[in-house]
Amino acid sequence: MELTADLIMPDKTALIIVDVQNDYCHGEGALAAGGNDVSAVREMMPQLHGLIAAARTQGVPVIYIQTFHEKATDSPVWTSRSGRGSLGVCRRGSWGAEFYEVAPLPEEIIVNKHRYSAFINTRLDSVLRSQRIETLIMTGVSTNVCVESTARDGFMLDYQIVMVQDACASYSRAAHEMTLENMKGYFGVVASAADIEESWKMWNQPALQRMI
């Protein structure tokens, strides 16, 4: 399947920004302090900012996924699987849980999550269905964990998935590339931020608008 203007029609599409938070992205955040390479996050930010601006121009909903961890959600299974070190990551009310270089507008939607997937025990599906969204444009961190988990669940719930190859980041180039290949093969479309922005611009053309 290829990226088409119809697939990302502005009134049926949402831009999903996953976990762009200090602990995951900042050079002084918990992941960087634990030895993870966050350089790919810096590389993706210009493309992410461009997509956010384009989405706002086209009236595409921008939905921010923000992870919070707290004692109430630290189940034995979660803490054993994710590692004891994760107990200090994105704690509710901490600097690490705050957004990194993105700032939701007052009318934009924030969905809080406590697991890898933004669909698990959250309001995301209700928000998307209420707004008649059919396609999810996936961005954020990390490509192979929270972005991929959310994209997979979105596909299973019958949303079209577009993974933005240069507006996602992982702490491993190999993991990032493998996820893109897996998404392309089984779960959706992989495209660049520039391709998406160009497709959105097509909806400003009178001939295309008359076809709706």
Side-chain angles (χ1 to χ4, degrees):
M1 188 174 183
E2 300 295 328
L3 182 71
T4 64
D6 286 343
L7 181 64
I8 56 172
M9 189 183 302
D11 62 353
K12 295 183 178 180
T13 299
L15 175 62
I16 310 296
I17 303 172
V18 179
D19 292 355
V20 180
Q21 298 168 252
N22 286 328
D23 268 345
Y24 298 127
C25 301
H26 198 286
E28 297 178 4
L31 271 290
N36 292 279
D37 181 3
V38 297
S39 61
V41 176
R42 293 193 298 272
E43 294 171 6
M44 81 161 190
M45 292 307 293
Q47 291 77 243
L48 179 59
H49 286 305
L51 272 179
I52 293 171
R56 289 170 174 168
T57 297
Q58 296 293 338
V60 174
V62 181
I63 300 177
Y64 299 80
I65 309 301
Q66 185 177 27
T67 291
F68 286 136
H69 293 305
E70 57 187 336
K71 186 176 180 180
T73 60
D74 291 338
S75 71
V77 171
W78 174 253
T79 55
S80 66
R81 186 62 188 166
S82 58
R84 300 293 298 179
S86 69
L87 294 181
V89 177
C90 288
R91 304 307 287 184
R92 184 179 291 276
S94 70
W95 169 84
E98 294 175 5
F99 289 114
Y100 171 77
E101 294 188 4
V102 293
L105 299 177
E107 67 273 17
E108 290 176 336
I109 298 163
I110 299 172
V111 173
N112 297 139
K113 71 177 177 69
H114 312 289
R115 295 294 183 265
Y116 295 145
S117 171
F119 282 102
I120 298 299
N121 298 325
T122 76
R123 65 187 183 121
L124 179 57
D125 190 46
S126 294
V127 167
L128 295 171
R129 305 266 181 215
S130 296
Q131 299 201 26
R132 301 175 187 267
I133 297 300
E134 298 177 3
T135 298
L136 309 182
I137 296 179
M138 300 300 307
T139 68
V141 296
S142 65
T143 313
N144 59 308
V145 184
C146 293
V147 181
E148 181 178 2
S149 295
T150 302
R152 283 173 175 248
D153 283 349
F155 174 78
M156 300 301 180
L157 290 168
D158 291 324
Y159 294 100
Q160 298 281 7
I161 301 297
V162 178
M163 182 79 83
V164 189
Q165 61 192 25
D166 54 353
C168 295
S170 183
Y171 310 111
S172 157
R173 174 57 61 179
H176 175 83
E177 296 295 341
M178 181 58 73
T179 296
L180 296 181
E181 285 301 310
N182 206 34
M183 295 302 300
K184 189 185 304 182
Y186 299 99
F187 299 104
V189 173
V190 175
S192 70
D195 288 340
I196 292 167
E197 291 178 37
E198 285 301 312
S199 293
W200 277 340
K201 288 178 182 177
M202 293 180 63
W203 287 102
N204 297 327
Q205 298 176 12
L208 187 57
Q209 292 175 1
R210 288 196 295 269
M211 296 173 59
I212 301 175

